Structure formats: C-alpha cells, structure tokens
Amino acid sequence: MRVTVLGGGLMGVTTAWFLARDGHDVSVIERARGLAEGTSFANAGLVTPSSADPWNAPGTLTRLIKYLGREDSPLLVRPRALPAMAGWGLKFLWQSRAHHHARNTEANTRLAVYSLALQRALRAEFGFDYDETTKGTLQVFADPRAFEGAARDSERLKEFGLPAESLDRGGIVAREPALKDSGELAGALYFPGDESGDAYAFTQALGECCKAAGVSFRFGETVVGFDVDGGRIKGVRTNRRITTADAVVVALGTWTPGLARGIGTKLLIYPVKGYSATIDIDGWNAAPRLPVLHDTLKVATSPMGTRLRAAGTAEFAGYNTVLNPVRAQAVLRAATTLFPGLAAHAEPHRVRYWTGLRPMTPDGRPLIGRLRFDNLFVNAGHGGLGWTLACGSGRLAADIVAGKAPEIDSAPFSPDR
Ligand SMILES: Cc1cc2nc3c(=O)[nH]c(=O)nc-3n(C[C@H](O)[C@H](O)[C@H](O)COP(=O)(O)OP(=O)(O)OC[C@H]3O[C@@H](n4cnc5c(N)ncnc54)[C@H](O)[C@@H]3O)c2cc1C
C-alpha cells in the first residue's frame, strides 16, 4: 500500500516506521527543514507510564481560578484565548469529573506501557542512543496531603505492572543525592519502570531507520488541503504539488484540526503552550541522575547526558509561539529551587529556552484511527504525553491503516468518540 504521512514529529515518524517495517511504501511530508522541529523538539523528556493521567484531574476549575492573572503561574488562561476555546474548555472541565478522569487515565496507562515496551525493543534492536535514563523516575511532593493521595492512587498502577516505592526525605536523598539541599520534601514516589530521554534525538535516529527501510521524506513542503472524491481522499495538496496515495495519515500534532476543518471534520485539539530550559551542566559532578517531577513547583527535570532539561507551565493562549521570558525563566527558577546546586551552572550562556504547543484533547486521550473518509487516518492529540505514547501510537495507527487487529484495544482512542 502507498501511504502518505503528514507531519515529521514523534507521531509521524513512529507511524512511518511501523508502516514501512510492515512492507508499505511510505512517504512523509513535513513543512520544516528536518524532523521533530515542532512540539517534539525540546520537551521534558519523560517517558512515564506512571504519569499517564490527563491533567484535568478533579479540582481543575479551582486551580484555574487560583492562578488567574499571575504571569509566572504554572497554569495560565489568557482572556483573549477564551472565545476560541469555549467548546473545548467546557469538555475539558466536564472530563475532570472523577470517573471520567479514572477511565482516561486507565486507557492512557495501557497505551503508555505498550509504548515503552516497543521503545525498548527498538533501542535494543538498533542500539539507539538518545541520552536516555532507564533507572526510573521520582515524583516528589512538598505537600504531605498530596503525597498521601498520590501514594494511595499509585496502588492502582500495580495492575499495569508499575509498582511504586514510597520514600521519606532520607530515602529521597539516597535515591537522588542532588535533592539533598531541596526545600520541603514531604515524600516521594519512586517508579522504577519509567524512563526519560531526548525525543528529538530519538526521532532523528528512527528517521534514519525509516530512510534505510525506504521511507521518503519531503521536507520544506507545507500541506494546504485535500482533494476529495466521494468518501475518499484523492490527493494531498501541498504548496508544491498534489500527491496521491492509497492512505493518508494526519500526524500534524497541534496543527491537525486546521487541516481537518477544510474537509468538514471537527477535531477537538487545543494548543497548550509550555516552556523548557536546557542547561549545559558539563562539569557538575553532583548533577541529578534521575528524572524528577515536583508537585507544587510544577516542574519536571530530566538528565540528558551533559545537559539537564527542565520543563513546565501550561498556558492557554491559542497558537501563539512567542517565547515569553518571564514564563521561560519561571521554569528555570523552579528547577533551581528543586536543585539549589544548579544555580552555579545556569549562567545565561549555558541555558537554551524553548516553547512548544502541546496538542491537547479535552479528555487527554489521543485521537488514533480512521476519520470520516475511507482512506484518511489521524494520529494526533497527545497533549503532554506524546513522548510517552509515541511508539505505541505509531504501532496502533499503522495497524489500523493496514486493517490489522492491534495488539491493544484501540477503541478508547477512536476519533469518533
Ligand atoms: C513543554 C513541553 C513539555 C513536554 N514534556 C513531555 C514529556 O516529558 N513527556 C511526554 O510524553 N510528552 C511531553 N510533551 C508532549 C510531547 O512533546 C508532544 O505530545 C509530542 O511532541 C507531539 O508530537 P506530534 O508528532 O504529535 O507533534 P509535532 O512534534 O508538533 O509534529 C507535528 C509536525 O507537523 C508539522 N506540520 C504542521 N503543519 C504542517 C503542514 N501544514 N504541512 C506539513 N507539516 C506540518 C510540524 O512542523 C511538526 O513537525 C511536552 C510538550 C511540551 C510543549
């Protein structure tokens, strides 16, 4: 089958890989000059089946109100973004009800566990090096009540093969000595089954495997629409040409709904802006060894070779990709609060800031499946979990395109839901 994949981020490349491996003739169209130049460029790096729960946990509305108007808050809604996000926003709040949140978490956790197994298999087969860590993650809590709640919730993860170890301050510092000077540490959960790594480097490495398997990449080409013939997509129109294919997979992340709208398909994916700071920590002998998530600082950090990546903040501001220095520096400040030793290494010339748009659905589950045309499919809407879910999503999408039965239930991710 000739398949055209739109988008060269994590979802486009993993989809292309699994299709090519199954013997299909695959081409990828990407508007940037290379792979992973969109949201997959500099994310927090966490591959965490233990944290596959959507952000809109019960109590989301209260948190949104608490942070209103604070420029350096981890969660910010810009008033001018409200009209465009009204329908999406109401569904987002609706899905924060406890039973919805539990169901969405379960679906994502299953996909995340599947995804990490595929990622490990690829790493073992091709010897990928993407500055990965494979020794688990620490979820650290300053608030004792939040810690107790998370420890209770973590019991449910055991059924997915994700045991957690509860740690007190001494146990935390033994696991991660770089936290010894950190402020309040009420407790932590250690998840040995989690990983982290540089999503950009992984995408490049898998892209090379794709090329070796015959995938053709067309960079610098922007998809502008589709030619439709009855219930089928006859052609993909770009700024350069019209391409025909037996099947088309839309993996345009945050930019997926704009294109789908052109063929009368409404997809609820909203851009949620986040920031990262990548710090050159070469020479810091006491640098963190484990990825860490902190509950009140709302920051996640991952060691990446001689770098430390810190990321966080969620801003509802539409498709605005301007880097706001206040919000970018708030991420670095949170990381230095977590690791006071970092301050000595975070001189301005050693820090690179980045901002990206998380492609968020209201229920936090990605959209993977057929759209309302016989040969048009989607693999998008992974929010803040795209790196954790990438390989599993690519495998699911490839199976659905080929009409094969997926290894895990794809129904929770159906775009028709
Ligand atoms: C600050 C931050 C931290 C994050 N941390 C984590 C984390 O720790 N763990 C985790 O699991 N996830 C994390 N994520 C989420 C993760 O990065 C995303 O879910 C993932 O990168 C989405 O991948 P994608 O392939 O769907 O989208 P993208 O990577 O954005 O790929 C879409 C591609 O489509 C291209 N494109 C768009 N429009 C067109 C067009 N018209 N024609 C051609 N090409 C086009 C773009 O250039 C882009 O390359 C984080 C995100 C952010 C912003």
Side-chain angles (χ1 to χ4, degrees):
M1 199 181 346
R2 278 185 316 125
V3 187
T4 300
V5 176
L6 313 183
L10 277 164
M11 301 319 141
V13 173
T14 53
T15 305
W17 165 252
F18 287 111
L19 283 165
R21 171 151 266 199
D22 289 351
H24 300 290
D25 177 0
V26 184
S27 59
V28 176
I29 302 177
E30 165 58 54
R31 69 180 172 190
R33 274 175 303 173
L35 297 174
E37 296 282 341
T39 308
S40 305
F41 186 71
N43 65 29
L46 301 169
V47 181
T48 44
S50 67
S51 306
D53 46 316
W55 287 1
N56 41 347
T60 293
L61 185 58
T62 318
R63 279 198 300 282
L64 280 172
I65 292 167
K66 180 174 133 196
Y67 290 129
L68 264 183
R70 276 183 45 196
E71 190 60 34
D72 64 347
S73 72
L75 193 63
L76 182 65
V77 182
R78 299 265 177 217
R80 64 175 177 276
L82 283 172
M85 64 179 286
W88 183 96
L90 287 175
K91 288 205 166 73
F92 183 74
L93 292 176
W94 178 255
Q95 290 290 331
S96 70
R97 290 150 63 104
H99 63 287
H100 289 314
H101 187 255
R103 184 195 53 187
N104 298 334
T105 301
E106 186 183 323
N108 280 355
T109 306
R110 265 185 225 294
L111 180 55
V113 168
Y114 178 59
S115 196
L116 182 51
L118 290 169
Q119 189 169 325
R120 285 179 177 143
L122 282 171
R123 193 169 65 218
E125 182 176 357
F126 297 106
F128 289 163
D129 173 3
Y130 49 97
D131 282 338
E132 69 275 13
T133 70
T134 59
K135 300 230 170 345
T137 55
L138 270 183
Q139 275 183 29
V140 177
F141 298 85
D143 174 1
R145 285 221 327 245
F147 172 53
E148 281 159 26
R152 258 194 320 275
D153 289 350
S154 74
E155 287 296 311
R156 272 188 242 140
L157 291 170
K158 282 189 188 147
E159 70 175 276
F160 300 97
L162 301 169
E165 192 185 320
S166 284
L167 303 174
D168 59 11
R169 186 170 185 115
I172 297 170
V173 176
R175 280 263 171 230
E176 179 49 84
L179 285 168
K180 72 176 167 37
D181 298 322
S182 203
E184 281 300 295
L185 298 177
L189 294 172
Y190 170 62
F191 290 96
D194 287 344
E195 298 194 356
S196 74
D198 184 345
Y200 177 83
F202 177 87
T203 313
Q204 300 296 331
L206 191 58
E208 290 305 314
C209 293
C210 284
K211 280 183 205 157
V215 175
S216 69
F217 287 98
R218 284 158 46 188
F219 293 117
E221 205 169 323
T222 301
V223 182
V224 294
F226 298 104
D227 287 340
V228 173
D229 183 11
R232 287 182 70 79
I233 298 297
K234 200 171 68 175
V236 175
R237 270 185 288 119
T238 72
N239 56 340
R240 295 205 191 144
R241 61 192 120 184
I242 294 174
T243 301
T244 58
D246 300 314
V248 178
V249 183
V250 191
L252 297 173
T254 309
W255 298 275
T256 301
L259 207 68
R261 209 174 302 125
I263 45 170
T265 301
K266 188 172 178 191
L267 296 178
L268 285 179
I269 295 176
Y270 190 83
V272 182
K273 195 174 182 181
Y275 285 86
S276 72
T278 306
I279 308 112
D280 171 7
I281 52 163
D282 203 9
W284 183 15
N285 296 329
R289 301 181 300 209
L290 287 178
V292 175
L293 297 93
H294 193 278
D295 70 326
T296 49
L297 293 170
K298 300 284 179 218
V299 72
T301 59
S302 297
M304 290 184 184
T306 56
R307 302 166 297 157
L308 183 74
R309 173 81 44 80
T313 82
E315 184 178 346
F316 295 83
Y319 282 84
N320 175 337
T321 52
V322 175
L323 197 140
N324 174 336
V326 176
R327 294 190 66 74
Q329 284 157 16
V331 169
L332 181 62
R333 208 169 37 251
T336 46
T337 306
L338 185 60
F339 299 114
L342 174 62
H345 301 268
E347 299 118 316
H349 70 278
R350 300 185 82 178
V351 184
R352 272 189 306 144
Y353 293 109
W354 171 81
T355 181
L357 301 175
R358 303 176 183 90
M360 196 78 83
T361 59
D363 59 14
R365 286 179 267 147
L367 307 175
I368 308 168
R370 188 193 301 271
L371 294 175
R372 56 178 194 87
F373 294 86
D374 289 348
N375 59 342
L376 184 65
F377 303 84
V378 65
N379 182 9
H382 295 71
L385 288 168
W387 179 209
T388 301
L389 304 176
C391 292
S393 301
R395 179 70 265 178
L396 274 190
D399 287 341
I400 294 168
V401 170
K404 287 195 334 195
E407 286 173 308
I408 65 165
D409 184 14
S410 64
F413 311 106
S414 164
D416 296 331
R417 65 183 186 267

